[in-house]
Amino acid sequence: MKLSGKTPKKWRLNYVITYLDAEKANRYRQFVLDTLISAATLRRIDYAIDIEAPLFDEIHDKLHTPFQGFVADLVRFRSSSNSLSSIKEFRAIVDGLFQDYDIFFRGDPFEVQSQLQKFLKEDPFPEQFCRPLAYPYTEFHNGKESTLCITEEALQKIIDDKEGSPKNSQWLS
């Protein structure tokens, strides 16, 4: 996204992950969120995750519909001066990763859909968020404070190296 001499346009994008029910959410949540976090990390895009966001609560209360058992997570993305993708490029990446998952027509256990841009005004980007830096580093922001962090995998590799574990321990059963 860094263009020669131009200031990159800031953007925001929310994705809703809908699971058929709580059991499917427990089973697939980590896979879906890890995939979205990896995409954000590779493109250096800020993100904030709201597990079991109350997106279907109003529908649950008013109607007995097919939405009754659904569980939803909300993942918010925002570009920064370090981001490497425009909104169009990032949307294409995420949509491409999850294009064949559909709860309604295919009966998949989850689906990932972008939220309409008009709803972003009602849902400001939170003060607690993660900003990916050069892998494996991430800054965790809480208001004006930030903390430098490393990924769990990188930390485990450091621990394994220190303890003399095999280099390719991820391949061991």
Side-chain angles (χ1 to χ4, degrees):
M1 187 163 128
K2 291 185 179 183
L3 305 172
S4 57
K6 290 186 178 179
T7 303
K9 183 177 179 184
K10 301 282 185 171
W11 55 264
R12 286 185 50 215
L13 181 62
N14 291 353
Y15 273 88
V16 176
I17 302 97
T18 308
Y19 307 94
L20 277 175
D21 53 41
E23 184 271 323
K24 300 288 190 295
N26 291 335
R27 187 178 206 187
Y28 293 99
R29 176 175 283 133
Q30 199 61 53
F31 164 71
V32 173
L33 294 180
D34 285 350
T35 302
L36 291 169
I37 291 168
S38 293
T41 300
L42 287 168
R43 306 313 301 160
R44 295 188 185 152
I45 295 168
D46 297 351
Y47 62 91
I49 300 170
D50 187 1
I51 302 291
E52 294 189 21
L55 300 174
F56 295 114
D57 288 357
E58 190 173 314
I59 295 171
H60 287 175
D61 294 342
K62 291 184 178 178
L63 304 169
H64 293 287
T65 67
F67 296 105
Q68 197 64 31
F70 285 4
V71 175
D73 296 338
L74 179 63
V75 181
R76 297 171 181 92
F77 296 103
R78 177 180 70 182
S79 68
S80 71
S81 59
N82 295 326
S83 296
L84 301 174
S85 292
S86 68
I87 189 171
K88 182 178 179 181
E89 293 165 339
F90 189 69
R91 186 188 299 264
I93 291 167
V94 174
D95 291 351
L97 290 169
F98 295 104
Q99 70 184 1
D100 292 328
Y101 292 90
D102 190 305
I103 286 178
F104 296 105
F105 296 112
R106 295 175 42 108
D108 289 319
F110 67 88
E111 70 179 22
V112 179
Q113 296 291 326
S114 61
Q115 192 177 45
L116 294 174
Q117 290 293 108
K118 69 181 183 179
F119 292 118
L120 294 179
K121 292 177 192 169
E122 300 169 20
D123 185 27
F125 198 82
E127 289 192 24
Q128 290 185 341
F129 65 92
C130 295
R131 174 167 288 157
L133 303 172
Y135 181 83
Y137 301 102
T138 298
E139 283 181 339
F140 175 74
H141 289 258
N142 187 3
K144 296 194 183 296
E145 295 180 21
S146 65
T147 304
L148 183 62
C149 305
I150 64 169
T151 63
E152 182 179 354
E153 296 83 12
L155 178 59
Q156 187 62 50
K157 183 174 179 346
I158 291 168
I159 292 168
D160 289 348
D161 288 349
K162 188 171 184 140
E163 293 175 353
S165 296
K167 295 277 187 223
N168 292 322
S169 59
Q170 72 267 20
W171 301 110
L172 300 176
S173 52

